[in-house]
Structures are given as C-alpha cells and as structure tokens.
Amino acid sequence: MTADVDRGRPGARPAEGPGGGPGEQPGERPDRGAGEESGGYELFRDAWGIPHLRAADALALARAQGHATALDRAWQLETERHRVLGTSASHLGAEAVDWDRFVRRARIADTARRCFDRLAPETAAWVTAYADGVNEGLAEGAERAPEFAAVGLAPGRWEPWTPLGVWLSTHILFAGFPTKLWREEVARRLGEDRMTLFATDGPGTAGSNGWLLTGARTATGAPLLAGDPHRFIEDPGVYQQIRLACPEFDVVGLAVPGIPGIAHFGHTGHVAWAITNAMADYQDLYRERLRRTPDGGVEALGPDGWYRAHAHTETIEVAGAAPEQVEVIETDRGPVIIGGDPGVGAEAADVAGGEASDAAEGAHPESGEAADGAFISLRYPPRVTGELGFDALPALLRARTVADVDTALDRWVEPVNVVLAADTAGSTLHRVAGHVPVRPYANRLRVVPAEDPAYAWRDGETVPLPRTEVDGIAVMANERGLAAPLGVEFAPPHRARRIRELLGADTDWTPDAQAAVHTDTLLASSRQLLSLLAWAPALGPAAERLRDRLLRWDRHMDADSTDATLYARLRTDVVHRLAAHPALKGVTGADDPWRSAAYPALFRPWLAAVPRIGYALENLLTVGLLPYEDRLALVAASAEAVAAAADETPPAPWGELHRLSPWQALPDLAPDGVDAQAIRPGVAGDHDCVLSTSSVPGVTDLFARGPAARYVWDLARREDSRWAVPFGASGVPGSAHHRDQTPLWARGALAPVVTDWNLLHRTTPHRTTHRPEETPAMTAATEPAAFATPALRPAVHEQKIEGFGTVRLVPVDPAADAELLHGWVTEERARFWGMADHTREQVREIYEFVDSLPTHHAYLALRDGVPAALFQTYEPDADPVGECYDVRPGDFGIHLLIAPAEGEGAVKGYTEALLTAFIAYVFSDPAHLRVVVEPDARNEKALARMVRVGFELGPEIKKPEKTARLAFLTRAALGLA
C-alpha cells in the first residue's frame, strides 16, 4: 500500500472495518488462463513464519499467494473487501458509516471493475488467479481468526476485480485532497495570502525514507538499497513479508495483503526496487452546482450549461441502527463526495462561505433551483482513464535489470511515487512513476469551479515525470526534490539531509550498518524553538534552568532521554499558546474548521487546527505570523509554565510516553495484560527524525504512524538482505508469529532474508486447483513425497556466481520430477534429445533406468532454488558414445538441457553461467581430466556456445538416434592443469 506509504489512512480509521450485507455486486469472471490447471504449490516458512511459496508457473504462484495470504490474514482481507464495497458498518456499526458513505459516493468498487476490464488479458488472468486463491483459503483462514466469530461474520467471496478495489481504497486519500478543503477554510477565514501558512514545506506528519548506495560506497562493491515506509501502523500489519518463486522468477519483498505480486519493495536476486510517496498532487476537487429535476433526477452545471448527471441511491446497513440511504451522484468531473440532497441548499452557505439560506430552516428549493456551491466532486485518474497500473506488477516480478524495472514503471498509475532501483551489474535508477494530469496550478491548491473550462484536465495529457542520475548516494524522503514540479507541499528537508549526512560519512557500508540510519533520532526541526528559547527574555530561575538544560541537550529523541520529554512538553505548550493567539482566531477554538458540519466527518483530521499548528510549528515560529518579539514572549511564557510543571512532576523517559498506538478493526478483542501492552511498545524518534515515529504535537505523545516495515536489499548477496515489520508474519491472534517481530522492530533490529530453501521449514503441500476430470483420490496419489521439492534435497555441488545467483546440483527424483522433466524434454526446442513423443511415464522410466546405473547420473540444476536445467553425467567407456571415439583416461561426459522458462537468449549469458557451475563440479574431482559433450551436429547454437566456453570441436559421430559432434574441454584449457 504506499503513496503516503507515508500518509496512510486518516485519523478516522476506526470507521474502516469489516462488515457484511447488501451492496456486494459480483463481477463477471473472465475466461480462465492457462494456469487454471497448473496443479499445486509448496509453502515453506522461515524462523519468523514468513511464507516462501513455490509453484510451477506464475499463475499457479499468484493463486498460491492468494491462498497463503487468506490463511495468514483472513480477517484483514475481509476487512479490506468490505472497505471496498462500503459495507463495513453492517458489522462495525455507526462508527463505520462515514467511510462506507465515502467509498460508495466516490464509486471505488465501480472504478475497480472498470480498471479490471482494461487490464491486459494476461494480467487479468494473473489477478483472477490471486482472487481464486483467496477464495480457496478464506474458510480455513476464518476458522483460525477469532474476529469472525466475535462479530458473527462469515467470509464473503472475492471477485477478480477486488484486489484493484483494495488498492484504490487504500490509496484514495494518500494524495491528500482533503488538504484543499483546509486551504479553502484558511483563505476564507484568514485571507488568501495565508492559504499556505500552515505548510511545513508540507505536512510534517510522518514520512517514508529510502536510500541507495552505489558500489563505490559499499564494502562489497555492489549497491545497497534500504529504507522504511511510514504510514498508519495497523494490526495486522499493512506489509507482508513474502517470497514468490516459480521457474520464471524468484522474488522476495513486502507485499500488500489483498494485492498479487510485490508492488513497492522487492528483490528478484538480480534487481531491487523501493519507493516513497512523491507528494505529487493528482486529484482535484470541483465546486459543483446541482439541481433536482421534476422527475427526481439530478442536473449539473458544466462549461456548456446544464446537463443530466448520473444519480442512484444505495442503502448502507448499520449494525445496531437503522439503515442509511446515500445518493450517489457523478458529474462530468467525477463523483460528488461532499453535499446533501440537490433539492436542499442548506449546505451551500457553509461550504461557499456565505450566510445560511432559508433551506437551513428546512425549506426546500423548488425543482430546478440550483444548490449553489454546496457540492464538491472528486476527479481522480483511475476514474477518468480506467487505468490503475496493475499491468506493471507482473512485469516487476520478472525484472532482472534496472532497465526492466524502469520499463515496468512506465505503466504505473497510482499512487505517484519516487522510485530507487539497482541491479547486480551496478546500474541504478532514480525516477518518479505515476500519472499526473495536466491542468492549472490552482487545481492543486484549492477547490475550483466545475463550470469554468479553464480548470478542466487536458484530455490525454500527463505531466512529464522527472528522473535523475545517481552519484554515489541517492535519498528519497518526501522532500521537495525530484518531484518538486508535481506537488504543492512536501515534507521538511530534515530527514533527507540527515540521511545524506550519515551516509556521506563512510564508503564501506554493509547491510547490518543500515540500522544506524534507520534508527537515527536527531530532531533537526527543534532548532527554531530552541533558538527562541535561548533568547527568551526575563526568565525566572526555574525557566532558566530549563533553558540551560535544553540548550545542552543533543537534540536526539532517544527513548531513555528525559530531555527529549522536556522538549516535547515545551513544544506542546507553545502549540497551545499559538492556537490561542488572536492571529489565528479565525481557525481555532470555536472557529476551528474541524467543528464545521459542512464537511463529512471523515475529512476532519485534515481540518483540525491544533495538529496543523503542531506540524507547522517550525515555520510558524520563523516568519509570516508573529513579530519576533511576540514569538520570544510566547516561548518565554511556555518555558515558565513547563519549568513549573517539571518541578512538580519530573519528566519520565521519552519512551515511556512515546508509545505506539496501532489501529485495529476490533480493538475490544485485544487480549488484556502483557499481550495488550506488547503492541504498544515505547520507542525513540519523532515526526521529523529519520526514525519518524509521528506523534501529534499539541495533541498526544502517542504515535500511530511510523515505520510500517524496514528493509535492506543487498545486490551483492541477496541472502545478506534484511527486513522487519512491526508485529509479525501472521495476522492470527495467538499465533507464534503474530507479534514476534515487535521487539525486533522496536529496537531497530532486522531479521535476515532467508534464500536457501534448505534452511526453511516445509509445511503441508497445497493443491490450489483440481482438474475437472480428477477425483480426490487421483489427486492425492500424485502428491509429492519426502524430498519431492528439489530445493530440499542435499546438493552434490553449490556455487555462487556473481551477477547470476547460487547454483545447486541435486539428484533427479524420477517419480517426483517426471512431470517437470516431461514438460522440458517434449518441447520443440528439446527435439535433439529425442523424447518429443514420450509420455510422462516413459520419461519417468528412462530416468529410473539412469538412476539405477553407477556410471550415469542425472541432476537438476537449481538457480536460487528454482529448477533451471537438467544436467547429466556419464562415464564414456560405459556409454554407447565410447564406441564412437577413442576414450582417454579421465574423460567424463555431460549432457545439458536448459529449462524452457529460461530458454536460450532469455537472459544474456544464462547458459554460460550454468556451464561455469557444471564444469566446476566436474573438475572438482581430480580424476576428471577432460569433459566430453556430443550435441546433435545440427545444433549450431549449442556448438557455438561450447566453443565460446573453451571446448575444442572434434569429429562427427554416428549414433542410432542422431549424428553428433564431439567437443572436448581440458583442464589445461581452463588453466587448471
């Protein structure tokens, strides 16, 4: 989920919960893709319970991901599905109505259907496979999750478009369009020149960090990519550590539950990528004029006059209360998200700034009378274009280079992100990805009139997206930088500057050392307040002691620091005094926009003045609001008050006050005692620290936003990568892995990314589909036995090849591998093997015979755990080939067949890299002096490849099944003699 991976869901998040009931409209299911009959998958887990999935192809793997996620996160998935449909209130009650009303009016589900219909067919099949997997696992997952029983909820059915709806509902508020409502109120109440007064250079709430170090600044000489997405922290977590492997790819990363693939943070073994919110503005609010028609319809005023708008009514079921009706209206600009009955003009005055009309007393305008200014519509790219960018997701999984990631991200739509990427060859990428429409700058700032054509989007045009080169260090921290041309407000520059400062101090960085950056607690934004404190006049003795103490403070918001607590107390008092100052009277106290009934309650977190003052404090204490002398006097008064309180109540360590307060759909189900406190650890940091654990200055020292995950992607050795999440891999209360990562996360430590399949625990295999003609008994008979998974077999040889991965040679299991090998040897490209017309049973029998010979051996070559080739060895004097040439002592024969998914030319140097491992294995035995190969004489590509590696071509020989060409590779040719 980012865009704000940074800003996340609003403070009204408790309204976003599970539910059920009417309003669920099933979508039509497209034709099944090829993976529909692809069999089962294998599920492994590491010591932290993180799922590692293996399947036969990408579609089976998507289905497996959906199934495994349903087992681990059933309650979370259903919470998200109901959020999409606007049916949360049916089980959460009245507190969820605001959210349900918004998503219905914004037409989130309908937009998801539209976007699904525009997907490329192969992407649609892939997303459908994921939804099918969710459906297959939900019943079992729901049995594990006590929340279902607590609310009497049975899991519903995911439609193919549901994942797109989850993505939309998660990100619809991330671009912060409600801030335009706040600016409108500030302009109306304080004056147009004060519209951006509360920008911190952006809302300094919480922000994601990401950084890239090129090989010139790392110990290995290969790039490192690290960071931490910041957003509202939820239990279960919003990011899911996962590994997805099939013959096409093997990717580790942080997935979004409910979304197939790995969108934001991934490492394929060859290339890694990460994102932060670009802080771009790409959603607009329009002030609409609507009127009711005599037949009960709705008309809207557009640039060409009045026209018929779409309108229909839906019912929101509410647990413990009467159902509520919501009228869904959509104009040519977009869905109307603010406003009441178009036949009632009461809200016009509040929103437009005028006096209340007679409608406020209950009088309804006649049909045809416009309710001027009372309605606001939302225009957002997916609703306009029918594109959500999901076609980028499977392309990211298949990426092997920075260029591949770059090309995939050209299809990205929403949210608009800054991206960093690096690959094993040392290439890097720093760019913005997403869809930003071309329209006037005023659209970014405020609500604009719908009927004025000057504020229309330019059809088909998008703003060019910036990119830049990486020179040693690249940082993305939501600051006004690369994405500056795309937005209005950005995060303060402090985090970005501090990260660059820390990274610039060394040129020998390692993965483990990144924790020092993740957990840095310097609060650079404290400078202005402390500067005013230093010059505050006429302080009493206690206040002078406070001043001296804080000026000696190192400005680190450490968990054990009482000085940090004193600073937070001083900051809170200053915020409250500013809120009471006459200069801000128009937006504070009784006039606080938060109190206005003109806007839905869902948007109130963006309209509250005290948090705005707290986040903008650094700017408000610098210029533009109060004269310098007034600022000094205000800070002096706060110092006196805080000093007096400190004498009576000495400050506790910051970590005792600064505790995590995560969002839970059903907080009343949280167990009492130790476990209840386990999800509320006290930690270091603050909103402008690199460790951005964001409390709300002036409101609370608790924090709900912070690192929703941490990651370090190592491009030298993927197995040296690191990650952590706030709670655990499981969303099931009571599971061993429900909250086992919390202590790790709280202290800033990271867990290893395990890539060796031999170090994983294999759970019971799952079949995600059954062929229609199969009976359960037939299916059970084909389930793999012990060591059926090649990655779990002991290797005869293992070798790390730089820029390629780890190659392991494991013995072929004729029964378990028959299906795999049959698929390989019967392809047209394998015609030279002479098995094109063989059945699966015949292939199995051939390899059972090979397995019975002491002189012949067959191996599967695994590349990072995924089958990549068939490698066979033989002793020539015990093989028919020995009758065709003069066998020398030390001769050793080999055969090689590359897996179809990695066919010749799919990856440059692929076969040569495998040959490197095979030849190293052969020559690891000193008795082997010469490698012998005998490819089909017509196989010119194979012969040319052998020559490139160093083989010397020999004579052609006649065999019963083919005419072959001998080739020889000696130890001497490789300098091993």
Side-chain angles (χ1 to χ4, degrees), residues 568-854:
R569 287 184 179 181
L570 178 66
R571 179 177 61 186
T572 293
D573 195 89
V574 169
V575 168
H576 289 162
R577 291 177 188 276
L578 274 175
H581 197 281
L584 295 179
K585 183 180 184 303
V587 293
T588 57
D591 295 323
D592 193 327
W594 181 85
R595 301 177 184 276
S596 172
Y599 304 109
L602 187 71
F603 300 141
R604 287 178 182 169
W606 284 268
L607 296 166
V610 172
R612 289 281 179 182
I613 294 169
Y615 292 138
L617 184 62
E618 184 181 12
N619 277 6
L620 295 176
L621 291 179
T622 303
V623 292
L625 181 63
L626 302 179
Y628 179 65
E629 292 75 14
D630 290 1
R631 285 178 266 149
L632 286 176
L634 187 147
V635 172
S638 290
E640 296 287 0
V642 171
D647 284 345
E648 294 183 9
T649 308
W654 177 235
E656 292 186 13
L657 305 173
H658 191 58
R659 291 185 173 275
L660 174 62
S661 181
W663 181 85
Q664 296 171 289
L666 291 173
D668 293 341
L669 288 187
D672 296 329
V674 176
D675 193 54
Q677 293 304 311
I679 64 169
R680 295 175 175 83
V683 300
D686 201 28
H687 62 273
D688 282 332
C689 300
V690 176
L691 179 52
S692 185
T693 49
S694 183
S695 56
V696 185
V699 178
T700 179
D701 291 327
L702 300 175
F703 70 96
R705 306 189 228 205
R710 295 190 182 100
Y711 61 90
V712 180
W713 301 143
D714 187 358
L715 274 303
R717 287 168 45 88
R718 187 170 68 162
E719 57 267 36
D720 289 340
S721 298
R722 301 286 185 266
W723 53 9
V725 293
F727 299 117
S730 174
V732 180
S735 162
H737 302 298
H738 185 210
R739 294 173 183 160
D740 58 336
Q741 293 187 53
T742 300
L744 198 71
W745 175 87
R747 67 176 186 269
L750 298 167
V753 173
V754 179
T755 59
D756 186 343
W757 295 93
N758 289 309
L759 300 178
L760 302 173
H761 169 67
R762 182 172 182 266
T763 69
T764 303
H766 296 270
R767 288 190 64 85
T768 57
T769 66
H770 299 296
R771 293 183 176 90
E773 68 274 13
E774 287 180 339
T775 66
M778 292 169 59
T779 301
T782 63
E783 293 289 2
F787 290 123
T789 304
L792 291 180
R793 300 172 198 161
V796 299
H797 179 73
E798 182 170 330
Q799 183 174 349
K800 171 74 174 182
I801 299 176
E802 292 301 321
F804 182 77
T806 299
V807 177
R808 299 177 68 246
L809 300 181
V810 300
V812 164
D813 181 323
D817 299 335
E819 187 73 28
L820 174 69
L821 296 179
H822 178 259
W824 289 3
V825 300
T826 55
E827 283 208 345
E828 168 61 22
R829 59 186 298 279
R831 63 188 181 279
F832 299 122
W833 279 63
M835 299 189 201
D837 58 351
H838 282 41
T839 66
R840 177 186 179 279
E841 286 305 305
Q842 288 173 320
V843 171
R844 178 182 60 79
E845 290 171 359
I846 287 172
Y847 283 96
E848 285 178 344
F849 174 71
V850 170
D851 191 46
S852 71
L853 301 174

Side-chain angles (χ1 to χ4, degrees), residues 236-470:
V238 296
Y239 281 113
Q240 174 193 29
Q241 298 151 297
I242 200 166
R243 183 182 187 182
L244 304 174
C246 68
E248 287 186 82
F249 51 79
D250 182 347
V251 187
V252 298
L254 301 169
V256 177
I259 310 298
I262 296 171
H264 289 152
F265 310 95
H267 193 328
T268 73
H270 308 278
V271 63
W273 66 92
I275 60 93
T276 60
N277 181 17
M279 309 296 283
D281 185 277
Y282 51 89
Q283 300 169 329
D284 286 349
L285 295 179
Y286 288 88
R287 183 174 291 105
E288 300 278 358
R289 296 188 64 192
L290 306 179
R291 66 187 183 188
R292 183 74 67 187
T293 61
D295 64 356
V298 175
E299 290 183 337
L301 181 63
D304 298 321
W306 291 96
Y307 64 94
R308 185 85 170 197
H310 170 89
H312 72 272
T313 300
E314 297 182 10
T315 301
I316 300 174
E317 299 292 336
V318 185
E324 296 197 15
Q325 301 293 310
V326 56
E327 187 172 25
V328 178
I329 301 172
E330 185 167 13
T331 72
D332 287 351
R333 266 68 57 196
V336 174
I337 60 169
I338 296 173
D341 187 337
V344 179
E347 293 166 280
D350 265 346
V351 178
E355 295 294 322
S357 69
D358 289 344
E361 303 299 325
H364 292 194
E366 296 297 327
S367 293
E369 181 179 344
D372 191 6
F375 303 94
I376 294 177
S377 63
L378 171 66
R379 188 170 181 83
Y380 58 104
R383 187 67 187 165
V384 175
T385 66
E387 300 286 350
L388 193 54
F390 263 45
D391 288 320
L393 302 184
L396 285 172
L397 294 177
R398 294 181 171 92
R400 291 183 175 273
T401 66
V402 156
D404 293 339
V405 171
D406 196 14
T407 299
L409 291 175
D410 286 341
R411 288 170 272 183
W412 193 267
V413 175
E414 184 175 342
V416 179
N417 293 324
V418 177
V419 183
L420 289 174
D423 60 29
T424 53
S427 298
T428 57
L429 176 69
H430 190 185
R431 65 165 289 183
V432 177
H435 180 111
V436 180
V438 176
R439 78 277 202 220
Y441 185 77
N443 291 43
R444 300 187 193 179
L445 286 173
R446 63 192 310 172
V447 183
V448 294
E451 69 273 15
D452 190 337
Y455 299 103
W457 290 11
R458 297 184 190 173
D459 289 342
E461 294 188 41
T462 59
V463 177
L465 300 178
R467 61 175 63 227
T468 189
E469 298 297 320
V470 177

